[in-house]
Amino acid sequence: MTQLNRMLDPRGYQERNTITLAKRPSLDELKNGKILFYNNTKLGFCNYYTVFDRIKERLVEIGCDESKWVEYTETVRGKNAQRLAEYAAMLAEEKPAAAIVAFGDMGTSSSTTVLTMELEKIGVPAVYMTAPPGTAITEGVGVYRAGNLCMASVDIYQASTVEEVAAEVDKKWDYILASLTTNGEELKKLAHIDLKMDRVAPAADGLLPFVPERNEESDAEPGAYLEEIMDYFHAEHISDGLPIIPPTKRRYEAMLEYCPWDEDTKLVDPSGPSGKEITVKDVAVAAVMAGCKPNAMPVLVAAFKALNSPLYNFNQSVTTSHPGGNMCIVSGPIAQELGISGRQGCMGPGWPANASIGRAINLVIMNVLRSVPGVCDLDCIASQAEFTYCFAEEPDLAQWNMINEDRFDSKTTTVYLLKAEPLHDIIDFLSLNGHDLLDTITACCTTLGSNNAYMPGPLVVCLTPDHAMMLKKDGYTKEMIQEHIHQYVYHQTPMVNGRGLMPVRPKEWDNRHPLPVTRFPRDVEVVTIGGRGGHSGVVLPWALHSEGCVEALRLPDGRIAGSVEDFRRKV
């Protein structure tokens, strides 16, 4: 029997660099030297500041000179790798003997790991204080980007008392002190991080080592060896749990039929736990696995260009504890050419282009950036939106301008990307006019448990044709709907204070009451999708330094494409 072809590795090449840790001071040098305490603002919540309080108490007990200590408090949110390196360099100007970095518990964990790594590279010995669920992501980032790092995880959570936090710090005190004053082989042991996956790095040839063992009985089965292949992909955490199309070289090359870009073209800057770039090749391999047709590649390339916008905050979005997916709305004539649907059931099963394109986006994130749920990701519960989240606008359903028309014109096809929750249903079968209906819609655009209660940002109102026609019949323009929702969707300020999460709002809102969930009317996007009936919906955002980003489908030379055929490779 001829051996089966090997498959491409969807992770791409992983450059496993191990940084050289800074030389540690002696215990006497630590006692008499400057100690830097860096708080990424997370210690300002609950009783978490006790982490620093207790460490400081223990340092005083061993004779450290607290008059020489210095503390910085600034968020890492919104800082890319370069800005984190620059901030670490600024901290290093203090010339500390050692640094205590905190706190890695949730969404800022990944970026704070990078900051700790940069301090070590500059020559500042550091120990990074973490807690579940952040511990897993800090270890993942530490493995892929640094190879080794000193991290102390304390088992605390939002309801931990001062006494409980202090007790957890005491459990790790010996490790903390040793990690700041030990060198040589002992430091290597203290900074060692166990790999939870990818124990064998992807091969330099870009191929997976696995080839199923052939037999005549299996050869005769449709979908031969799929079970064996899926078992391998699941074990290696290179699948989303659903069956995939094995990414062979032949299938990969076929996927490039509508891909005039070089396969090494960078689409996304280094991001996520692995710190890897996302290239055209990475996207094409995921497109094969997801079941995309080759003509989907122009949409996927545009989608990743949108994700790479600094306004999207992509690096943090791929490991956040928020259960949102990367919603992709395709507007314009190419959507209809590809069969991307905005019709009845367009956010559910039964629409192959929708399902496969949305799935490919999320497979790239998981496989290349190694944001793997339960292993190297902060998702508390996650959601179905992280499998796939793609649909279109339909010109014959639209009651107002579509997204592409608002940003460009009717002949231009665009993608709109938003990190967002799954659709929240809005049911209204009884309202007899657009005024009452709009009140129903308005009431659904936030809750105290939604991110936009604390971080105003974009949201998408998805109107069924019946609801859109009712509103238009009663004289509502798109702009009037946007203005109404912006004005009337808000929270009473006392209801949002001290709950939810750290607010990120415009500075001029410090004394505002009540608190809107949008910053201006254009934060409200309005689309008409779906089938007839009384179920509209609203999509609420992640909104953490994250905007909805629009990208036109362009050819490599920058020209806007009029048809998907413009992308077909010339033979």
Side-chain angles (χ1 to χ4, degrees), residues 143-252:
V143 163
Y144 290 111
R145 298 204 189 191
N148 58 164
L149 214 57
C150 292
M151 296 182 286
S153 178
V154 288
D155 191 5
I156 60 177
Y157 74 119
Q158 66 190 66
S160 294
T161 65
V162 168
E163 293 76 16
E164 289 169 338
V165 176
E168 284 296 317
V169 172
D170 284 346
K171 290 178 184 178
K172 296 300 171 71
W173 173 244
D174 288 344
Y175 175 88
I176 294 168
L177 186 60
S179 67
L180 294 178
T181 58
T182 304
N183 290 289
E185 290 302 314
E186 189 60 30
L187 177 60
K188 290 182 181 180
K189 293 178 184 178
L190 293 168
H192 173 75
I193 306 170
D194 286 327
L195 282 162
K196 303 294 191 299
M197 57 185 177
D198 300 349
R199 289 182 173 86
V200 177
D205 64 7
L207 298 173
L208 290 170
F210 175 74
V211 178
E213 186 175 337
R214 296 189 65 178
N215 63 76
E216 291 184 5
E217 185 177 1
S218 295
D219 275 350
E221 288 285 332
Y225 307 103
L226 187 58
E227 294 90 345
E228 292 87 345
I229 291 170
M230 286 308 307
D231 286 345
Y232 176 81
F233 272 62
H234 293 332
E236 294 297 321
H237 301 287
I238 48 177
S239 170
D240 57 10
L242 296 174
I244 53 97
I245 304 295
T248 60
K249 187 174 182 181
R250 181 189 65 80
R251 292 185 176 117
Y252 167 74

Side-chain angles (χ1 to χ4, degrees), residues 523-544:
D523 266 344
V524 182
E525 193 59 67
V526 181
V527 298
T528 304
I529 61 171
R532 301 292 299 274
H535 288 275
S536 287
V538 63
V539 176
L540 302 183
W542 176 47
L544 183 53

Side-chain angles (χ1 to χ4, degrees), residues 456-477:
L459 59 85
V460 181
V461 175
C462 302
L463 300 171
T464 54
D466 285 6
H467 282 174
M469 288 187 290
M470 285 175 63
L471 289 163
K472 189 170 186 178
K473 180 181 178 181
D474 281 330
Y476 286 97
T477 64

Side-chain angles (χ1 to χ4, degrees), residues 255 267 278-288 297 300-301 304 360 364 368:
M255 188 58 65
L267 298 176
I278 293 174
T279 66
V280 167
K281 181 178 181 180
D282 296 326
V283 173
V285 172
V288 171
M297 278 299 293
L300 288 168
V301 168
F304 278 97
V364 171
V368 178

Side-chain angles (χ1 to χ4, degrees), residues 243-246 251 255 284-296 300 352-357 359-360 363:
I244 53 97
I245 304 295
R251 292 185 176 117
M255 188 58 65
V285 172
V288 171
M289 293 175 63
C292 292
K293 297 295 185 185
N295 60 10
L300 288 168
N354 299 32
S356 58
I357 291 172
R359 187 186 183 197
L363 277 173

Side-chain angles (χ1 to χ4, degrees), residues 19 34 41 52 86 128 265 298-299 390 435 442-443 513 528 543 559:
I19 66 170
K34 181 184 290 186
T41 73
F52 270 4
E86 291 168 354
Y128 180 20
T265 300
V299 171
C390 176
H435 315 302
T442 299
H513 177 74
T528 304
R559 288 182 295 122

